[in-house]
Protein backbone atom coordinates (compact mmCIF):
# COMPACT_ATOMS: atom_id res chain seq x y z
CA UNK A 1 0.00 0.00 0.00
CA UNK A 2 1.22 3.51 -0.64
CA UNK A 3 0.47 7.03 0.40
CA UNK A 4 1.64 10.43 -0.66
CA UNK A 5 2.17 12.63 2.32
CA UNK A 6 5.29 14.45 1.17
CA UNK A 7 5.34 17.32 -1.32
CA UNK A 8 6.22 15.99 -4.79
CA UNK A 9 9.96 15.82 -5.39
CA UNK A 10 11.41 18.00 -8.12
CA UNK A 11 13.31 16.43 -11.02
CA UNK A 12 16.98 15.75 -10.31
CA UNK A 13 16.27 15.54 -6.60
CA UNK A 14 17.64 12.32 -5.11
CA UNK A 15 14.62 10.69 -3.50
CA UNK A 16 16.12 7.29 -2.77
CA UNK A 17 19.69 6.36 -1.94
CA UNK A 18 21.70 3.47 -0.55
CA UNK A 19 25.01 4.34 1.06
CA UNK A 20 27.46 1.53 1.82
CA UNK A 21 24.49 -0.77 2.24
CA UNK A 22 24.84 -4.37 3.37
CA UNK A 23 21.98 -6.72 4.21
CA UNK A 24 21.07 -10.37 4.47
CA UNK A 25 19.26 -12.96 6.46
CA UNK A 26 19.90 -14.11 10.01
CA UNK A 27 22.69 -11.59 10.61
CA UNK A 28 24.90 -12.50 7.65
CA UNK A 29 25.22 -10.13 4.69
CA UNK A 30 24.39 -11.45 1.22
CA UNK A 31 24.72 -8.00 -0.37
CA UNK A 32 27.49 -5.53 0.49
CA UNK A 33 28.79 -2.07 -0.36
CA UNK A 34 25.69 -1.11 -2.32
CA UNK A 35 25.80 2.49 -3.55
CA UNK A 36 22.74 3.70 -5.37
CA UNK A 37 20.95 6.97 -6.07
CA UNK A 38 17.57 7.40 -7.71
CA UNK A 39 16.21 10.76 -8.75
CA UNK A 40 12.62 11.81 -9.27
CA UNK A 41 11.63 10.73 -12.76
CA UNK A 42 14.44 8.19 -13.07
CA UNK A 43 14.13 4.46 -13.72
CA UNK A 44 16.98 2.44 -12.25
CA UNK A 45 17.21 -1.22 -13.22
CA UNK A 46 18.89 -3.80 -10.99
CA UNK A 47 20.06 -6.66 -13.17
CA UNK A 48 21.93 -9.85 -12.42
CA UNK A 49 21.74 -13.62 -12.48
CA UNK A 50 19.59 -15.63 -10.07
CA UNK A 51 20.88 -15.24 -6.55
CA UNK A 52 22.93 -12.12 -7.30
CA UNK A 53 21.19 -10.20 -4.52
CA UNK A 54 18.69 -8.03 -6.40
CA UNK A 55 15.65 -8.91 -4.31
CA UNK A 56 17.62 -8.61 -1.08
CA UNK A 57 18.72 -5.13 -2.13
CA UNK A 58 15.19 -4.11 -3.09
CA UNK A 59 13.67 -5.41 0.16
CA UNK A 60 16.27 -3.50 2.14
CA UNK A 61 15.50 -0.32 0.23
CA UNK A 62 11.84 -0.90 1.06
CA UNK A 63 12.44 -1.49 4.78
CA UNK A 64 11.39 -5.15 4.76
CA UNK A 65 14.96 -6.08 5.71
CA UNK A 66 17.20 -4.04 7.99
CA UNK A 67 20.69 -3.09 6.84
CA UNK A 68 23.57 -4.85 8.56
CA UNK A 69 25.77 -1.91 7.50
CA UNK A 70 25.25 1.43 5.80
CA UNK A 71 21.85 3.01 5.38
CA UNK A 72 18.96 3.82 3.08
CA UNK A 73 17.61 7.33 2.53
CA UNK A 74 14.03 7.71 1.36
CA UNK A 75 12.74 11.20 0.66
CA UNK A 76 15.45 12.72 2.81
CA UNK A 77 14.88 10.39 5.76
CA UNK A 78 17.95 8.26 6.51
CA UNK A 79 16.54 6.58 9.60
CA UNK A 80 16.12 2.82 9.63
CA UNK A 81 12.41 2.90 8.83
CA UNK A 82 10.19 -0.11 8.29
CA UNK A 83 8.15 -0.72 5.15
CA UNK A 84 4.87 0.59 6.59
CA UNK A 85 6.55 3.84 7.59
CA UNK A 86 8.19 4.27 4.19
CA UNK A 87 4.87 3.43 2.54
CA UNK A 88 3.20 6.22 4.46
CA UNK A 89 5.92 8.59 3.28
CA UNK A 90 5.25 7.75 -0.38
CA UNK A 91 6.95 4.47 -1.24
CA UNK A 92 5.16 1.79 -3.27
CA UNK A 93 6.41 -1.80 -3.35
CA UNK A 94 5.52 -4.62 -5.68
CA UNK A 95 7.10 -7.88 -4.63
CA UNK A 96 7.66 -11.02 -6.68
CA UNK A 97 4.45 -12.52 -5.31
CA UNK A 98 1.60 -10.91 -7.21
CA UNK A 99 0.22 -8.26 -4.91
CA UNK A 100 -3.41 -9.05 -5.61
CA UNK A 101 -6.20 -10.27 -3.33
CA UNK A 102 -7.23 -13.33 -5.31
CA UNK A 103 -10.64 -13.83 -3.60
CA UNK A 104 -11.76 -10.26 -4.33
CA UNK A 105 -12.90 -8.86 -7.64
CA UNK A 106 -10.74 -6.58 -9.73
CA UNK A 107 -12.86 -3.60 -8.63
CA UNK A 108 -12.52 -4.51 -4.98
CA UNK A 109 -8.77 -4.76 -5.42
CA UNK A 110 -8.65 -1.29 -6.94
CA UNK A 111 -10.90 0.15 -4.25
CA UNK A 112 -8.62 -1.21 -1.54
CA UNK A 113 -5.78 0.87 -2.95
CA UNK A 114 -5.10 4.39 -1.76
CA UNK A 115 -5.65 5.87 -5.19
CA UNK A 116 -8.72 6.37 -7.35
CA UNK A 117 -9.73 3.38 -9.52
CA UNK A 118 -10.04 5.83 -12.45
CA UNK A 119 -6.34 6.69 -12.09
CA UNK A 120 -5.51 2.99 -12.03
CA UNK A 121 -7.54 2.40 -15.18
CA UNK A 122 -5.85 5.29 -16.93
CA UNK A 123 -2.71 3.11 -16.90
CA UNK A 124 -4.45 -0.07 -18.05
CA UNK A 125 -7.85 0.66 -19.64
CA UNK A 126 -7.90 -2.90 -21.00
CA UNK A 127 -8.62 -4.11 -17.45
CA UNK A 128 -12.01 -2.43 -17.27
CA UNK A 129 -14.14 -5.19 -18.85
CA UNK A 130 -12.62 -7.73 -16.47
CA UNK A 131 -12.99 -5.90 -13.18
CA UNK A 132 -16.17 -7.73 -12.14
CA UNK A 133 -14.29 -11.04 -12.09
CA UNK A 134 -12.58 -12.51 -9.09
CA UNK A 135 -8.91 -11.55 -9.36
CA UNK A 136 -7.86 -15.19 -9.01
CA UNK A 137 -9.64 -15.91 -12.30
CA UNK A 138 -7.79 -13.22 -14.24
CA UNK A 139 -4.75 -14.10 -16.33
CA UNK A 140 -1.31 -13.68 -14.80
CA UNK A 141 -0.74 -10.60 -16.93
CA UNK A 142 -4.07 -9.06 -15.91
CA UNK A 143 -3.28 -9.73 -12.25
CA UNK A 144 0.06 -8.03 -12.59
CA UNK A 145 -1.51 -5.05 -14.38
CA UNK A 146 -4.05 -4.82 -11.58
CA UNK A 147 -1.35 -4.86 -8.93
CA UNK A 148 0.77 -2.26 -10.71
CA UNK A 149 -2.25 -0.09 -11.51
CA UNK A 150 -3.32 -0.05 -7.87
CA UNK A 151 0.13 0.96 -6.67
CA UNK A 152 0.55 3.63 -9.34
CA UNK A 153 -2.92 5.08 -8.70
CA UNK A 154 -1.76 5.90 -5.16
CA UNK A 155 0.79 8.23 -6.78
CA UNK A 156 3.87 7.02 -4.95
CA UNK A 157 7.00 9.12 -5.10
CA UNK A 158 9.15 6.00 -5.13
CA UNK A 159 8.21 2.71 -6.77
CA UNK A 160 10.15 -0.50 -6.09
CA UNK A 161 9.16 -3.37 -8.36
CA UNK A 162 10.55 -6.89 -8.18
CA UNK A 163 10.33 -8.95 -11.37
CA UNK A 164 7.07 -7.56 -12.64
CA UNK A 165 7.50 -9.66 -15.72
CA UNK A 166 7.99 -13.04 -14.06
CA UNK A 167 6.41 -15.73 -16.24
CA UNK A 168 4.59 -13.28 -18.49
CA UNK A 169 4.49 -13.01 -22.29
CA UNK A 170 6.75 -10.41 -23.93
CA UNK A 171 3.88 -8.16 -25.00
CA UNK A 172 2.53 -8.01 -21.46
CA UNK A 173 6.02 -7.34 -20.12
CA UNK A 174 6.29 -4.46 -22.56
CA UNK A 175 2.91 -3.07 -21.41
CA UNK A 176 3.93 -3.26 -17.76
CA UNK A 177 7.31 -1.68 -18.30
CA UNK A 178 5.82 1.07 -20.46
CA UNK A 179 3.44 1.91 -17.60
CA UNK A 180 6.40 2.09 -15.25
CA UNK A 181 8.15 4.44 -17.67
CA UNK A 182 5.02 6.61 -17.91
CA UNK A 183 4.87 6.84 -14.13
CA UNK A 184 8.54 7.85 -14.03
CA UNK A 185 7.84 10.49 -16.64
CA UNK A 186 5.38 12.05 -14.18
CA UNK A 187 8.17 12.20 -11.57
CA UNK A 188 8.11 8.82 -9.81
CA UNK A 189 11.55 7.45 -8.88
CA UNK A 190 11.65 3.78 -9.84
CA UNK A 191 13.85 0.82 -8.99
CA UNK A 192 13.11 -2.17 -11.16
CA UNK A 193 14.47 -5.67 -10.63
CA UNK A 194 14.24 -7.38 -13.99
CA UNK A 195 15.33 -10.58 -15.72
CA UNK A 196 14.47 -9.34 -19.21
CA UNK A 197 17.62 -7.37 -19.96
CA UNK A 198 16.60 -5.94 -23.32
CA UNK A 199 13.18 -4.85 -22.12
CA UNK A 200 14.66 -3.31 -18.99
CA UNK A 201 17.24 -1.39 -21.03
CA UNK A 202 14.43 0.07 -23.12
CA UNK A 203 12.77 1.81 -20.17
CA UNK A 204 15.65 2.34 -17.73
CA UNK A 205 17.83 5.41 -17.40
CA UNK A 206 20.49 3.79 -15.26
CA UNK A 207 21.54 0.19 -14.81
CA UNK A 208 23.27 -1.54 -11.93
CA UNK A 209 24.50 -5.05 -12.58
CA UNK A 210 24.94 -7.24 -9.52
CA UNK A 211 26.99 -10.37 -9.08
CA UNK A 212 27.43 -12.34 -5.87
CA UNK A 213 25.96 -9.60 -3.74
CA UNK A 214 27.95 -6.71 -5.17
CA UNK A 215 27.59 -4.14 -7.90
CA UNK A 216 29.88 -4.95 -10.79
CA UNK A 217 28.68 -2.26 -13.19
CA UNK A 218 26.79 1.03 -12.94
CA UNK A 219 26.12 2.72 -16.26
CA UNK A 220 23.57 4.76 -18.21
CA UNK A 221 21.16 2.37 -19.95
CA UNK A 222 21.68 4.22 -23.23
CA UNK A 223 25.33 3.07 -23.27
CA UNK A 224 24.31 -0.57 -22.98
CA UNK A 225 21.29 -0.81 -25.31
CA UNK A 226 23.33 -1.80 -28.35
CA UNK A 227 25.31 -4.35 -26.43
CA UNK A 228 23.16 -6.14 -23.85
CA UNK A 229 25.54 -9.13 -23.99
CA UNK A 230 27.96 -6.98 -22.03
CA UNK A 231 25.52 -7.29 -19.13
CA UNK A 232 24.91 -11.01 -19.37
CA UNK A 233 28.67 -11.57 -19.65
CA UNK A 234 29.00 -9.85 -16.30
CA UNK A 235 26.48 -12.28 -14.81
CA UNK A 236 29.08 -15.01 -15.17
CA UNK A 237 32.09 -12.84 -14.40
CA UNK A 238 33.26 -12.21 -17.98
CA UNK A 239 34.40 -8.64 -18.64
CA UNK A 240 34.60 -7.79 -14.97
CA UNK A 241 37.42 -5.45 -13.95
CA UNK A 242 40.16 -7.47 -12.24
N1 LIG B 1 14.83 -15.68 3.02
C1 LIG B 1 16.11 -16.00 2.79
N2 LIG B 1 16.84 -16.62 3.74
C2 LIG B 1 18.13 -16.94 3.54
N3 LIG B 1 18.80 -16.68 2.38
C3 LIG B 1 18.12 -16.07 1.40
C4 LIG B 1 16.74 -15.70 1.55
N4 LIG B 1 16.34 -15.11 0.40
C5 LIG B 1 17.42 -15.11 -0.42
N5 LIG B 1 18.48 -15.67 0.17
C6 LIG B 1 19.82 -15.85 -0.40
O1 LIG B 1 20.37 -14.57 -0.68
C7 LIG B 1 21.09 -14.58 -1.90
C8 LIG B 1 20.56 -13.47 -2.79
O2 LIG B 1 19.20 -13.80 -3.13
P1 LIG B 1 18.24 -12.75 -3.86
O3 LIG B 1 16.86 -13.33 -3.86
O4 LIG B 1 18.44 -11.41 -3.28
O5 LIG B 1 18.85 -12.76 -5.32
P2 LIG B 1 18.19 -12.28 -6.68
O6 LIG B 1 19.28 -11.63 -7.46
O7 LIG B 1 16.98 -11.47 -6.43
O8 LIG B 1 17.82 -13.67 -7.34
P3 LIG B 1 16.50 -14.10 -8.20
O9 LIG B 1 16.63 -13.42 -9.51
O10 LIG B 1 16.64 -15.57 -8.28
O11 LIG B 1 15.29 -13.66 -7.42
C9 LIG B 1 20.94 -15.98 -2.49
O12 LIG B 1 22.10 -16.71 -2.18
C10 LIG B 1 19.75 -16.54 -1.76
O13 LIG B 1 19.86 -17.93 -1.62
Amino acid sequence: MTATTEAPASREEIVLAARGLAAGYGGGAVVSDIELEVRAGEVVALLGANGAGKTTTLLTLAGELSPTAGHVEVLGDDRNRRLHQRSRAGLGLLTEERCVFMQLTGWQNLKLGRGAPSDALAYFPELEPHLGKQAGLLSGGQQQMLALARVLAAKPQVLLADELSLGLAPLIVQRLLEAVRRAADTGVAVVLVEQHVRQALRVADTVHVMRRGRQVLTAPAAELRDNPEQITDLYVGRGEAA
Side-chain angles (χ1 to χ4, degrees):
M1 297 284 166
T2 54
T4 315
T5 53
E6 307 276 329
S10 64
R11 297 295 169 118
E12 302 307 312
E13 187 183 330
I14 295 168
V15 288
L16 174 68
R19 314 273 184 210
L21 191 69
Y25 307 89
V30 300
V31 300
S32 305
D33 300 325
I34 304 297
E35 296 286 338
L36 192 130
E37 290 182 341
V38 193
R39 289 166 176 75
E42 184 182 19
V43 177
V44 167
L46 286 186
L47 306 176
N50 292 121
K54 305 177 300 292
T55 296
T56 305
T57 302
L58 199 82
L59 293 178
T60 313
L61 294 173
E64 275 277 88
L65 292 172
S66 288
T68 54
H71 65 269
V72 173
E73 283 172 33
V74 180
L75 299 161
D77 187 348
D78 64 1
R79 290 173 293 175
N80 185 16
R81 310 296 265 173
R82 308 304 306 159
L83 174 60
H84 69 275
Q85 295 165 314
R86 288 188 177 150
S87 296
R88 274 204 294 274
L91 181 141
L93 171 68
L94 279 173
T95 60
E96 258 178 302
E97 298 83 41
R98 286 204 179 112
C99 303
V100 166
F101 299 98
M102 298 294 179
Q103 307 301 322
L104 303 182
T105 66
W107 266 117
Q108 288 167 329
N109 268 276
L110 290 186
K111 286 199 168 270
L112 277 179
R114 298 200 187 185
S118 57
D119 287 339
L121 287 172
Y123 279 100
F124 296 109
E126 65 265 54
L127 283 179
E128 191 154 11
H130 306 285
L131 289 177
K133 286 184 207 158
Q134 203 176 320
L137 300 178
L138 297 175
S139 71
Q142 289 167 335
Q143 289 172 359
Q144 195 63 295
M145 285 187 223
L146 189 63
L148 179 59
R150 194 182 63 208
V151 170
L152 291 179
K155 299 187 169 46
Q157 296 203 53
V158 178
L159 171 69
L160 307 180
D162 196 0
E163 305 219 17
L164 278 181
S165 57
L166 202 66
L168 300 176
L171 273 178
I172 303 284
V173 177
Q174 196 178 323
R175 258 321 260 129
L176 291 162
L177 294 182
E178 278 169 6
V180 167
R181 183 67 253 177
R182 265 175 67 197
D185 291 342
T186 70
V188 183
V190 180
V191 180
L192 204 60
V193 167
E194 212 13 271
Q195 290 288 358
H196 289 78
V197 172
R198 283 172 196 275
Q199 304 247 41
L201 286 175
R202 231 176 267 154
V203 298
D205 298 296
T206 306
V207 168
H208 297 269
V209 181
M210 296 189 68
R211 181 163 184 263
R212 296 185 178 165
R214 291 175 184 269
Q215 285 158 291
V216 290
L217 177 74
T218 295
E223 286 180 10
L224 299 165
R225 271 181 207 128
D226 293 336
N227 190 10
E229 295 76 21
Q230 194 183 331
I231 294 176
T232 39
D233 281 352
L234 284 171
Y235 285 14
V236 290
R238 276 197 298 268
E240 205 171 321

